[in-house]
Amino acid sequence: MIDLKRLRAAPDEVRAALARRGEPAVLTLLQELERLDERRRSIAGALDALKAERNAAAREDARHVKAGGTLPPEVLVERRALGEQISEREAALRDVEAEMAGKALYVPNVPLPELPDGDASNNRTVRVWGDPRPPAATLRPHWEIGERLGILDLARGAKIAGSGFPVFFGAGARLVRALVAFMIDLHVREHGYREVEPPFVVTRASMQGTGQVPKFEDDAYRTVPDDLFLVPTAEVPVTNLHRDEILDGASLPFGYVAYTPCFRREAGAAGRDTRGLLRVHQFDKVELVRFTRPDESPAEHERLTDHAAAVLRALELPYRVVLLAAGDVGFASAKTYDLEAWAPGVGQWLEVSSSSTFTDFQARRASIRYRARAGDKPALVHTLNASGVALPRTIAALLETGQQSDGSVVLPAALVPYFGADRLNPPGGP
RNA sequence: GGAGGGCUGGCCGAAUGGCUAAGGCACCGGUCUUGAAAACCGGCGGGCGCAAGCCCUUACAGGUUCGAAUCCUGUGCCCUCCGCCA
């Protein structure tokens, strides 16, 4: 959520920074918020004064009654009038605060200055790792490899749940399980994350805390009688672990690694990337979530991004790191690096991880604070997260990268202890 | 799904319509000490404010009242038992 104090103190700076997102509606929202904020402060000030008056009168009356006196009718009339004034202003304050909350929840995070200007076409590749295998007519796309190996069945998934719900069979299912275990172990052992298995459904309050709701409610699957949401990413349950908490500053920074399935309706993405595993409604993902002090978050973001990239290096998948432009970063993010793995069969870089710092945006919405030292005032933490990494596109890159002319697929050495073999063989093969 | 009990600060726990929500534990700072412990002093929910100070806070949201932790209504969560169940 936007920092109203900052908006009040430096309105031009906030406006200019948000304008870089390229959404004129946001600037209108800002104007309305500034007007409401002024109104709220004036009502709250008057209300405080009235309450102070009532509290003083109540103290005095109590003393009087305790001493055996009674309150004369004219005093009661006076007190009642005071009470009515307070009620009226409380109602006015409630109204203006509700209106503000309704608007503030739709204001995106302020992009950091180092982001390139412009839309997605201005995204900047900051580094490339590995040697991307050049596309060739002999290289097959992952859906052909997967179906030929008998490990991927898109048609049956569509039959039982609709398109975008893949089914993995046999070695494919085992590969999914191996990848999840491999990634979690890597992050726990090498990068110091604490493993957590959270609920796979969350309340509306949790979705609001991380920014998926109210603006993007249509992108999520929602259960009707209970108003619970299927998690679109482990970011939601894991970040909300500490909602409404004040963390011990000495414990920062720390991170969680969590596996969850992810459910996304992909409303508005219909027709894009529909082949194979490139865009699906349910997928598995290992997610990294970090909580830091504000001064540490830029360095933590770089570290976090490299924790995700370490997975791709271990899997021997060439990848590139892309810094998103101000017009392309997500609603809650202040800065995002996408990690894209090279998939030679489709000849595309596939986004397998998105590594973002949310600065204090989620922390303010979810009220996640820390106390630097005993006695200090609580301050907002910074939250960050990165996929570490998402499975379907990683599997696509693995299949397309490891494919051999005999129809088998060679797997990276790091997976062998988890998968139990160094390659996927076609049915009937060796 | 049904019945009952409960929810006060990091933890325990008092206050049943009235002055500043007791007290203890834990924790932090200080005095003392070679050091530590003990003892003693101070601090120890949140917001606004340069400050003085003001406001809010007894799970949450409403209501009654001159005045609510306390009375009323609704909601959430926890516990116990019954039923069902992997």
Side-chain angles (χ1 to χ4, degrees):
Chain A
M1 198 151 51
I2 184 156
D3 180 359
L4 286 170
K5 272 195 238 174
R6 183 176 166 196
L7 178 61
R8 209 181 298 138
D12 295 335
E13 181 196 312
V14 173
R15 252 193 299 271
L18 277 171
R20 298 175 74 213
R21 283 184 171 269
E23 291 176 55
V26 170
L27 300 179
T28 313
L29 265 181
L30 281 186
Q31 250 173 23
E32 290 166 348
L33 273 176
E34 286 179 271
R35 179 178 57 78
L36 288 167
D37 183 46
E38 200 177 326
R39 183 165 153 66
R40 183 190 67 81
R41 285 163 57 79
S42 123
I43 294 171
L47 183 61
D48 264 19
L50 287 170
K51 280 182 171 174
E53 195 180 325
R54 179 179 66 181
N55 288 346
R59 262 195 299 273
E60 198 180 309
D61 291 351
R63 209 165 13 237
H64 184 63
V65 170
K66 257 286 167 74
T70 52
L71 298 175
E74 62 269 23
V75 168
L76 288 184
V77 167
E78 206 175 291
R79 302 288 188 258
R80 208 170 287 134
L82 185 58
E84 275 163 20
Q85 281 187 66
I86 288 172
S87 295
E88 279 168 25
R89 281 176 170 77
E90 276 180 334
L93 186 66
R94 252 202 306 278
D95 287 350
V96 79
E97 282 183 340
E99 198 180 349
M100 284 180 80
K103 292 188 191 300
L105 289 172
Y106 285 87
V107 177
N109 199 357
V110 179
L112 292 177
E114 64 264 35
L115 307 201
D117 282 321
D119 60 13
S121 64
N122 298 96
N123 291 351
R124 184 190 302 151
T125 299
V126 293
R127 57 186 171 273
V128 179
W129 183 89
D131 295 311
R133 185 176 178 179
T138 53
L139 292 180
R140 313 216 165 262
H142 61 274
W143 55 88
E144 282 185 23
I145 300 168
E147 294 194 1
R148 194 172 294 193
L149 290 173
I151 62 172
L152 176 63
D153 193 332
L154 298 169
R156 284 204 175 96
K159 175 170 69 181
I160 59 180
S163 80
F165 291 91
V167 174
F168 292 95
F169 279 111
R174 183 152 50 99
L175 179 61
V176 168
R177 196 153 44 85
L179 279 165
V180 169
F182 160 70
M183 292 181 200
I184 291 174
D185 281 350
L186 176 73
H187 295 305
V188 169
R189 291 173 188 163
E190 307 292 327
H191 305 142
Y193 287 80
R194 183 179 189 198
E195 183 175 357
V196 55
E197 167 129 338
F200 296 167
V201 295
V202 292
T203 59
R204 178 173 292 275
S206 294
M207 289 287 273
Q208 183 173 299
T210 34
Q212 284 76 15
V213 150
K215 194 169 179 190
F216 305 103
E217 181 161 345
D218 290 348
D219 290 337
Y221 289 98
R222 184 167 70 93
T223 69
V224 170
D226 301 309
D227 202 33
L228 291 171
F229 293 81
L230 274 59
V231 294
T233 158
E235 162 192 349
V236 180
V238 175
T239 306
N240 278 281
L241 283 174
H242 295 299
R243 175 154 48 89
D244 296 322
E245 289 186 12
I246 298 173
L247 304 172
D248 176 6
S251 70
L252 300 173
F254 65 90
Y256 293 108
V257 55
Y259 155 77
T260 69
C262 300
F263 302 92
R264 299 183 181 182
R265 292 187 62 230
E266 299 291 349
R272 247 191 296 154
D273 297 332
T274 48
R275 294 300 304 267
L277 294 174
L278 297 188
R279 188 175 296 277
V280 287
H281 292 305
Q282 178 186 327
F283 61 95
D284 296 296
K285 179 160 64 68
V286 169
E287 184 77 6
L288 304 174
V289 177
R290 294 192 73 77
F291 298 80
T292 79
R293 293 198 320 246
D295 59 298
E296 289 178 311
S297 77
E300 283 291 309
H301 187 207
E302 298 300 320
R303 219 166 282 144
L304 169 68
T305 304
D306 198 61
H307 292 161
V311 172
L312 302 176
R313 292 194 292 270
L315 294 177
E316 300 168 39
L317 291 174
Y319 66 88
R320 63 181 189 182
V321 181
V322 178
L323 173 62
L324 300 193
D328 196 33
V329 287
F331 177 76
S333 174
K335 180 181 180 180
T336 297
Y337 292 112
D338 278 354
L339 297 186
E340 300 179 340
W342 175 247
V346 293
Q348 287 179 45
W349 292 96
L350 303 181
E351 181 193 330
V352 295
S353 177
S354 197
S355 170
S356 301
T357 175
F358 302 94
T359 57
D360 61 13
F361 184 86
Q362 292 181 330
R364 186 173 289 106
R365 284 170 90 104
S367 186
I368 307 172
R369 294 175 293 176
Y370 76 103
R371 204 187 303 276
R373 280 180 306 278
D376 280 9
K377 289 221 158 219
L380 294 168
V381 301
H382 279 193
T383 58
L384 304 86
N385 67 55
S387 339
V389 298
L391 263 67
R393 292 175 187 163
T394 301
I395 289 172
L398 281 170
L399 294 179
E400 294 183 10
T401 300
Q403 61 181 305
Q404 307 296 310
S405 50
D406 64 1
S408 69
V409 172
V410 173
L411 293 173
L415 271 186
V416 173
Y418 291 90
F419 182 72
D422 63 0
R423 64 174 60 212
L424 298 160
N425 288 311

